[in-house]
Amino acid sequence: MSTHHEPEHDHGVPAGHADSHPHDHGHGHTASLWSRLRHQAAHLVTPHSHEARDKVDSAMETSREGMRTLWLSLGILGLTTVVQAAVVALSGSVALLGDTIHNAADALTAVPLGIAFVLGRRAANRRYTYGYGRAEDLAGIAIVITIAASSALAAYTAVDRLFHPREITHLWAVAAAAAAGFVGNEWVARYRIRTGRRIGSAALVADGLHARTDGFTSLAVLIGAGGAAIGWRYADPVVGLLITLAILMVLRDAAREVYRRLMDSVDPALVDRAEHALRGVEGVRGVGQVRMRWIGHALRAETDIVVDPDLTVVQAHELAVAAEHALIHAVPRLTAATVHTDHLSHGADPHRALAHHGT
């Protein structure tokens, strides 16, 4: 006999089911006094709620944190762009003009991410049964494309400057604006990457890496201005080419991050953590395959556990709930798990009807 457990906190608790859900920290026949005490101690250290309302609030909070990061980044980069544009008008620096365009483009990447975060707040429905979290992955693709375009523009500008050197006036202002661009972009990059990793948003991490590429471009303008100040006309284009290579390295990292998310890649350490948690649940005799995937900046899991063949349906279901509970506590950013129960070998294989489907 096997039973399939669907997490109640995704779409509400079915009628007649609330009383059987072990949120009172008792797991019926599957828990001893020691396991209940250990379970309650875990709640004191890491309090956690399994109600649907709290799941939504958690997702909303991470989205709000992402939106705060985007708005603050937009303000910093917008201010940097305005300052640089004023210096461009004063000095006529084409290099600084390119850097200003990069900063403006980086600020505008907040638009697809903002749309993705807003979409991600929408509830799941019968068409999008997992919700709209994947909008972040689409935003990540847009950001990678933007980074690629920025690297192409940087390369073109550097090559053009190499063959057509230009005189730059007001070098002190150009250097100051370039320094401001570098500091602003690096601050934004660190903030976006830190927040993205904390809330599990690959797109926001990629956007932070994009900001870092623009910081490199600003640094190239600064070094080029220094070279021009000592009379080396080719300083700016040569450094620009080197910075283009650095941008390509960042592009590789950002593309790999987004690609892995699109391919449902997860850190193998999380799988190990999940398996360890499942084996620690009293009554679980074995652990089958564990699958995880990111939906936006939240994790979902599917797993098989092996239980005693003489358990009742109610007991097997309680054990599945306990297994899901352990997973949610053990794996960061995990919001739901589907637990399938198999029993120890007892006669014919119950899955033989599925064998010809290659499952």
Side-chain angles (χ1 to χ4, degrees):
M1 179 199 69
S2 64
T3 182
H4 191 223
H5 172 255
E6 291 291 349
E8 294 83 358
H9 47 256
D10 274 358
H11 303 287
V13 181
H17 187 278
D19 293 338
S20 66
H21 203 290
H23 284 190
D24 60 355
H25 300 165
H27 300 301
H29 299 285
T30 63
S32 64
L33 176 61
W34 166 245
S35 65
R36 286 197 299 270
L37 291 174
R38 182 177 57 186
H39 178 83
Q40 292 171 358
H43 267 291
L44 292 175
V45 177
T46 57
H48 200 95
S49 174
H50 304 283
E51 296 297 329
R53 178 182 62 258
D54 297 324
K55 293 297 181 185
V56 173
D57 288 346
S58 176
M60 289 285 285
E61 180 56 36
T62 56
S63 293
R64 290 192 188 102
E65 187 174 1
M67 290 297 291
R68 283 195 298 268
T69 299
L70 291 177
W71 280 115
L72 185 56
S73 299
L74 181 61
I76 295 294
L77 292 177
L79 179 61
T80 301
T81 300
V82 170
V83 170
Q84 289 187 323
V87 176
V88 168
L90 177 67
S91 66
S93 171
V94 177
L96 189 58
L97 174 61
D99 190 37
T100 303
I101 294 173
H102 280 153
N103 284 328
D106 187 42
L108 291 177
T109 58
V111 174
L113 264 181
I115 294 173
F117 280 130
V118 171
L119 281 176
R121 295 177 180 180
R122 297 180 63 180
N125 53 47
R126 292 182 65 83
R127 182 176 294 276
Y128 296 97
T129 55
Y130 283 96
Y132 292 80
R134 288 285 191 180
E136 287 187 36
D137 299 331
L138 297 178
I141 295 175
I143 291 167
V144 168
I145 292 174
T146 303
I147 298 176
S150 297
S151 65
L153 178 60
Y156 174 81
T157 303
V159 172
D160 181 70
R161 184 67 55 84
L162 190 63
F163 289 103
H164 304 95
R166 296 178 179 86
E167 296 295 335
I168 304 175
T169 61
H170 299 85
L171 290 175
W172 64 270
V174 173
F182 174 73
V183 172
N185 275 289
E186 182 59 25
W187 187 90
V188 167
R190 289 175 181 269
Y191 189 38
R192 287 177 174 175
I193 292 171
R194 183 171 61 249
T195 301
R197 287 176 177 166
R198 183 165 58 248
I199 70 175
S201 173
L204 192 56
V205 171
D207 206 26
L209 293 172
H210 178 207
R212 182 157 286 162
T213 66
D214 287 347
F216 290 152
T217 305
S218 297
L219 188 61
V221 175
L222 177 61
I223 297 174
I230 62 175
W232 188 31
R233 300 176 64 190
Y234 295 102
D236 185 58
V238 168
V239 173
L241 288 173
L242 294 176
I243 296 302
T244 299
L245 294 177
I247 293 175
L248 290 175
M249 297 291 288
V250 174
L251 173 63
R252 181 197 63 183
D253 293 340
R256 181 170 55 193
E257 185 93 11
V258 173
Y259 168 79
R260 286 178 175 175
R261 184 61 60 87
L262 290 172
M263 293 296 293
D264 287 333
S265 172
V266 295
D267 185 352
L270 293 179
V271 179
D272 294 339
R273 201 172 198 173
E275 291 175 342
H276 179 75
L278 290 171
R279 292 190 180 98
V281 176
E282 185 177 355
V284 173
R285 305 306 181 194
V287 177
Q289 190 172 22
V290 176
R291 299 183 182 92
M292 293 184 189
R293 65 168 53 177
W294 286 97
I295 305 295
H297 43 263
L299 273 171
R300 291 185 65 99
E302 299 175 6
T303 186
D304 302 324
I305 60 173
V306 180
V307 302
D308 289 328
D310 56 349
L311 293 182
T312 66
V313 172
V314 172
Q315 291 171 334
H317 178 261
E318 288 179 347
L319 191 52
V321 172
E324 181 189 10
H325 198 175
L327 285 175
I328 291 175
H329 275 290
V331 181
R333 312 299 318 158
L334 183 68
T335 59
T338 301
V339 180
H340 176 79
T341 57
D342 282 327
H343 57 74
L344 293 171
S345 180
H346 188 71
D349 181 7
H351 298 112
R352 62 185 181 279
L354 301 175
H356 67 282
H357 291 289
T359 58

